[in-house]
């Protein structure tokens, strides 16, 4: 018995319908990113560290995510990269120095003009955030999620060749959106790079 074989046109139409259905379905909440424990170091042998200004490599008006309503996560408005959100990342480098100190590193605040004037070598940890996400959900009592992907470089002052490069991610979920939502995500990305043995080796006393 001969069986009818679907035409290539029919197969293509079915595929397009499936793609359209997938693209119209808002994604669910992002799965949490694991936060690792930093490797503890001996302050006597570890380098003095500072964190340079955080650079966010996003174009103005880049969409970061959406506010979602209901159990179906229906999108109602979006969040875009602009002055109201960029202000939340301006002082991240100063606010997270305590994480370095807790891991055993000696730290100094970042001052661009003092980089070449210090009596001892201070290694500069330079973070670049190349991906940011911000989504909020009315379901389950209402909450917000933030995610950041960070490219790290560790440098001696005035040098362009890094002692270390690496990438980590950080995630935060909290009951409502506030100024600290990006800071917590960034803190967790920092903790993850401090858990990298290659970073610890590079940050030993020069």
């Amino acid at each position: 018995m001969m069986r009818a074989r679907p035409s290539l046109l029919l197969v293509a139409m079915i595929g397009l319908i499936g793609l359209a259905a997938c693209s119209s379905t808002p994604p669910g909440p992002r799965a949490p990113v694991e936060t690792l424990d930093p490797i503890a170091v001996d302050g006597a042998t570890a380098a003095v560290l500072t964190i340079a200004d955080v650079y966010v490599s996003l174009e103005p008006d880049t969409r970061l995510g959406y506010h979602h309503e209901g159990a179906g996560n229906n999108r109602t408005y979006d969040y875009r990269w602009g002055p109201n959100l960029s202000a939340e990342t301006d002082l991240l480098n100063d606010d997270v120095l305590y994480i370095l100190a807790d891991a055993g590193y000696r730290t100094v605040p970042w001052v661009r003009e003092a980089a070449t004037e210090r009596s001892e070598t201070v290694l500069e940890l330079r973070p670049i955030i190349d991906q940011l996400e911000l989504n909020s959900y009315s379901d389950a009592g209402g909450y917000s999620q933030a995610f950041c992907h960070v490219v790290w470089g560790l440098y001696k002052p005035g040098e362009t060749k890094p002692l270390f490069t690496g990438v980590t991610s950080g995630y935060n979920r909290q009951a409502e959106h506030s100024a600290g939502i990006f800071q917590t995500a960034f803190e967790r990305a920092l903790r993850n790079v401090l858990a990298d043995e290659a970073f610890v080796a590079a940050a030993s006393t020069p």
Side-chain angles (χ1 to χ4, degrees), residues 30-137:
R30 171 182 278 278
V33 176
E34 182 182 11
T35 303
L36 304 176
D37 292 327
I39 298 173
V41 300
D42 181 354
T45 58
V48 182
L49 298 181
T50 189
I51 302 180
D53 293 334
V54 178
Y55 176 69
V56 181
S57 62
L58 298 179
E59 294 294 328
D61 208 37
T62 296
R63 181 183 290 114
L64 305 184
Y66 297 89
H67 175 70
H68 303 77
E69 285 287 342
N73 293 331
N74 299 311
R75 296 168 175 169
T76 57
Y77 57 86
D78 59 9
Y79 296 104
R80 292 180 178 268
W81 182 244
N84 59 325
L85 290 178
S86 61
E88 297 186 15
T89 63
D90 286 344
L91 300 177
L92 285 178
N93 57 326
D94 287 336
D95 292 339
V96 297
L97 282 177
Y98 78 93
I99 296 176
L100 296 174
D102 286 347
Y105 296 96
R106 293 170 292 157
T107 66
V108 294
W110 166 250
V111 180
R112 185 183 303 275
E113 293 76 12
T116 58
E117 300 174 1
R118 296 188 175 101
S119 58
E120 60 181 334
T121 299
V122 176
L123 300 185
E124 301 170 5
L125 187 55
R126 303 176 190 171
I128 299 174
I129 296 177
D130 62 358
Q131 183 182 352
L132 271 178
E133 295 177 12
L134 176 62
N135 288 282
S136 55
Y137 299 84

Side-chain angles (χ1 to χ4, degrees), residues 125-128 130 149-155 162-169 189 192-193 196 198-199:
L125 187 55
R126 303 176 190 171
I128 299 174
D130 62 358
H149 184 268
V150 188
V151 180
W152 303 93
L154 186 66
Y155 296 82
L163 300 170
F164 165 86
T165 58
V167 296
T168 61
S169 300
N192 284 342
V193 79
D196 189 328
F199 172 84

